[in-house]
Coordinates of all heavy atoms in Angstrom, one line a residue:
R159 N 0.0 -0.9 -10.3 CA 1.2 -0.7 -11.1 C 2.4 -0.5 -10.2 O 3.5 -1.1 -10.5 CB 1.0 0.6 -11.9 CG 2.0 0.8 -13.0 CD 1.5 1.7 -14.1 NE 0.5 2.7 -13.7 CZ 0.8 3.8 -13.0 NH1 2.1 4.1 -12.7 NH2 -0.1 4.6 -12.6
H160 N 2.3 0.1 -9.0 CA 3.4 0.3 -8.1 C 3.9 -1.1 -7.6 O 5.1 -1.3 -7.6 CB 3.1 1.2 -6.9 CG 2.8 2.6 -7.4 ND1 2.2 3.5 -6.5 CD2 2.9 3.2 -8.5 CE1 2.0 4.7 -7.2 NE2 2.5 4.5 -8.4
F161 N 3.0 -2.0 -7.3 CA 3.4 -3.3 -6.9 C 4.2 -3.9 -8.0 O 5.3 -4.5 -7.8 CB 2.2 -4.2 -6.6 CG 2.6 -5.7 -6.6 CD1 3.2 -6.2 -5.5 CD2 2.3 -6.5 -7.7 CE1 3.6 -7.6 -5.6 CE2 2.7 -7.8 -7.8 CZ 3.3 -8.4 -6.7
G162 N 3.7 -3.8 -9.3 CA 4.5 -4.3 -10.4 C 5.9 -3.7 -10.6 O 6.8 -4.5 -10.8
V163 N 6.0 -2.5 -10.4 CA 7.3 -1.8 -10.5 C 8.3 -2.4 -9.4 O 9.4 -2.7 -9.8 CB 7.2 -0.3 -10.3 CG1 8.6 0.4 -10.1 CG2 6.5 0.3 -11.5
Y164 N 7.8 -2.5 -8.2 CA 8.7 -3.0 -7.1 C 9.1 -4.5 -7.4 O 10.2 -4.9 -7.2 CB 8.1 -2.9 -5.8 CG 8.2 -1.4 -5.3 CD1 7.1 -0.6 -5.2 CD2 9.5 -0.9 -4.8 CE1 7.2 0.7 -4.8 CE2 9.6 0.4 -4.4 CZ 8.5 1.2 -4.4 OH 8.6 2.5 -3.9
W165 N 8.1 -5.2 -8.0 CA 8.4 -6.6 -8.3 C 9.5 -6.7 -9.5 O 10.4 -7.4 -9.4 CB 7.1 -7.4 -8.7 CG 7.4 -8.8 -8.8 CD1 7.2 -9.7 -7.8 CD2 7.9 -9.6 -10.0 NE1 7.6 -11.0 -8.2 CE2 8.0 -10.9 -9.5 CE3 8.2 -9.2 -11.2 CZ2 8.5 -11.9 -10.4 CZ3 8.7 -10.2 -12.1 CH2 8.8 -11.6 -11.6
V166 N 9.3 -5.9 -10.5 CA 10.2 -5.9 -11.6 C 11.6 -5.4 -11.2 O 12.6 -6.0 -11.6 CB 9.7 -5.0 -12.8 CG1 10.7 -4.7 -13.8 CG2 8.4 -5.6 -13.4
L167 N 11.6 -4.5 -10.3 CA 13.0 -4.0 -9.8 C 13.6 -5.2 -9.0 O 14.8 -5.4 -9.2 CB 12.8 -2.8 -8.9 CG 12.5 -1.5 -9.6 CD1 12.2 -0.4 -8.6 CD2 13.6 -1.1 -10.6
A168 N 12.9 -5.9 -8.2 CA 13.5 -7.0 -7.5 C 14.0 -8.1 -8.5 O 15.1 -8.6 -8.4 CB 12.4 -7.7 -6.5
D169 N 13.2 -8.3 -9.5 CA 13.5 -9.2 -10.6 C 14.7 -8.8 -11.4 O 15.4 -9.5 -12.0 CB 12.3 -9.5 -11.4 CG 12.5 -10.7 -12.4 OD1 12.8 -11.7 -11.9 OD2 12.2 -10.5 -13.6
T170 N 14.9 -7.5 -11.4 CA 16.1 -6.9 -12.2 C 17.4 -7.1 -11.4 O 18.4 -7.4 -12.1 CB 15.9 -5.4 -12.4 OG1 14.6 -5.1 -13.1 CG2 17.0 -4.7 -13.1
Y171 N 17.3 -6.9 -10.1 CA 18.6 -7.0 -9.4 C 18.9 -8.3 -8.7 O 20.0 -8.5 -8.2 CB 18.6 -5.8 -8.3 CG 18.6 -4.5 -9.0 CD1 17.4 -3.7 -9.1 CD2 19.7 -3.9 -9.6 CE1 17.4 -2.5 -9.7 CE2 19.7 -2.7 -10.2 CZ 18.5 -2.0 -10.3 OH 18.5 -0.7 -10.9
F172 N 17.9 -9.2 -8.7 CA 18.1 -10.5 -8.1 C 17.6 -11.6 -9.0 O 16.8 -11.4 -9.9 CB 17.3 -10.6 -6.8 CG 17.9 -9.6 -5.8 CD1 17.4 -8.3 -5.7 CD2 18.9 -9.9 -4.9 CE1 17.9 -7.4 -4.8 CE2 19.4 -9.0 -4.0 CZ 18.9 -7.7 -4.0
D173 N 18.0 -12.8 -8.7 CA 17.6 -14.0 -9.4 C 16.1 -14.3 -9.3 O 15.5 -14.2 -8.1 CB 18.3 -15.2 -8.7 CG 18.8 -16.2 -9.7 OD1 19.7 -15.7 -10.5 OD2 18.4 -17.3 -9.6
R174 N 15.4 -14.6 -10.4 CA 14.0 -14.8 -10.3 C 13.5 -15.8 -9.2 O 12.6 -15.6 -8.5 CB 13.5 -15.3 -11.7 CG 12.1 -15.8 -11.8 CD 11.0 -14.8 -12.1 NE 11.4 -13.8 -13.1 CZ 10.8 -13.7 -14.3 NH1 10.0 -14.6 -14.7 NH2 11.2 -12.7 -15.1
Q175 N 14.3 -16.9 -9.2 CA 13.9 -17.9 -8.2 C 13.9 -17.4 -6.7 O 13.0 -17.7 -5.9 CB 14.9 -19.1 -8.3 CG 14.5 -20.4 -7.6 CD 13.1 -20.9 -8.0 OE1 12.7 -20.8 -9.2 NE2 12.4 -21.6 -7.1
I176 N 15.0 -16.7 -6.5 CA 15.2 -16.1 -5.1 C 14.1 -15.1 -4.8 O 13.5 -15.1 -3.7 CB 16.6 -15.4 -5.0 CG1 17.7 -16.5 -5.0 CG2 16.7 -14.6 -3.8 CD1 19.1 -16.0 -5.1
V177 N 13.7 -14.3 -5.8 CA 12.7 -13.3 -5.7 C 11.3 -14.0 -5.4 O 10.6 -13.6 -4.4 CB 12.5 -12.4 -6.9 CG1 11.3 -11.4 -6.8 CG2 13.8 -11.6 -7.2
M178 N 11.0 -15.0 -6.1 CA 9.7 -15.7 -6.0 C 9.6 -16.3 -4.6 O 8.6 -16.2 -3.9 CB 9.5 -16.8 -7.0 CG 9.6 -16.3 -8.5 SD 8.2 -15.2 -8.9 CE 7.0 -16.3 -9.2
E179 N 10.7 -17.0 -4.2 CA 10.7 -17.7 -2.9 C 10.5 -16.7 -1.7 O 9.7 -16.9 -0.8 CB 11.9 -18.5 -2.7 CG 11.9 -19.8 -3.5 CD 13.2 -20.6 -3.5 OE1 14.1 -20.3 -2.7 OE2 13.3 -21.4 -4.4
R180 N 11.2 -15.6 -1.8 CA 11.2 -14.6 -0.7 C 9.8 -13.9 -0.7 O 9.3 -13.6 0.3 CB 12.4 -13.6 -0.9 CG 12.5 -12.7 0.3 CD 12.8 -13.4 1.6 NE 13.0 -12.5 2.7 CZ 12.6 -12.8 3.9 NH1 12.1 -13.9 4.2 NH2 12.8 -11.9 4.9
L181 N 9.3 -13.6 -1.9 CA 8.0 -12.9 -2.0 C 7.0 -13.8 -1.3 O 6.1 -13.3 -0.6 CB 7.6 -12.6 -3.4 CG 6.2 -12.0 -3.6 CD1 6.2 -10.6 -2.9 CD2 5.9 -11.8 -5.1
D182 N 7.1 -15.1 -1.6 CA 6.1 -16.0 -1.0 C 6.2 -16.0 0.5 O 5.2 -15.9 1.2 CB 6.5 -17.4 -1.5 CG 5.2 -18.3 -1.6 OD1 4.3 -17.9 -2.2 OD2 5.3 -19.4 -0.9
E183 N 7.4 -16.1 1.0 CA 7.6 -16.0 2.5 C 7.0 -14.7 3.1 O 6.3 -14.8 4.1 CB 9.1 -16.1 2.9 CG 9.7 -17.5 2.6 CD 11.3 -17.4 2.8 OE1 11.8 -16.3 3.1 OE2 11.9 -18.4 2.5
L184 N 7.4 -13.6 2.5 CA 7.0 -12.3 3.1 C 5.5 -12.2 2.9 O 4.8 -11.6 3.8 CB 7.7 -11.2 2.3 CG 9.2 -11.1 2.6 CD1 9.9 -10.1 1.7 CD2 9.4 -10.7 4.1
A185 N 4.9 -12.7 1.9 CA 3.4 -12.6 1.7 C 2.7 -13.4 2.8 O 1.6 -12.9 3.3 CB 3.0 -13.1 0.3
V186 N 3.2 -14.5 3.2 CA 2.6 -15.3 4.3 C 2.6 -14.4 5.6 O 1.6 -14.3 6.3 CB 3.4 -16.6 4.6 CG1 2.9 -17.3 5.8 CG2 3.2 -17.5 3.4
V187 N 3.7 -13.8 5.9 CA 3.8 -12.9 7.1 C 2.9 -11.7 6.9 O 2.2 -11.4 7.9 CB 5.3 -12.4 7.2 CG1 5.4 -11.5 8.4 CG2 6.2 -13.6 7.4
E188 N 2.8 -11.2 5.8 CA 2.0 -10.0 5.6 C 0.5 -10.3 5.9 O -0.2 -9.5 6.6 CB 2.1 -9.5 4.1 CG 1.6 -8.1 3.8 CD 0.1 -8.1 3.4 OE1 -0.5 -9.2 3.1 OE2 -0.5 -7.0 3.4
S189 N 0.0 -11.4 5.4 CA -1.3 -11.8 5.7 C -1.5 -12.2 7.2 O -2.6 -11.9 7.8 CB -1.8 -13.0 4.8 OG -2.0 -12.6 3.5

Side-chain angles (χ1 to χ4, degrees):
R159 192 159 27 77
H160 296 168
F161 165 76
V163 167
Y164 282 107
W165 192 91
V166 167
L167 288 174
D169 192 52
T170 300
Y171 296 101
F172 296 88
D173 222 60
R174 168 89 40 110
Q175 190 63 27
I176 291 174
V177 174
M178 300 297 279
E179 283 171 16
R180 188 60 180 149
L181 178 62
D182 207 59
E183 288 170 5
L184 290 170
V186 169
V187 176
E188 194 269 348
S189 284

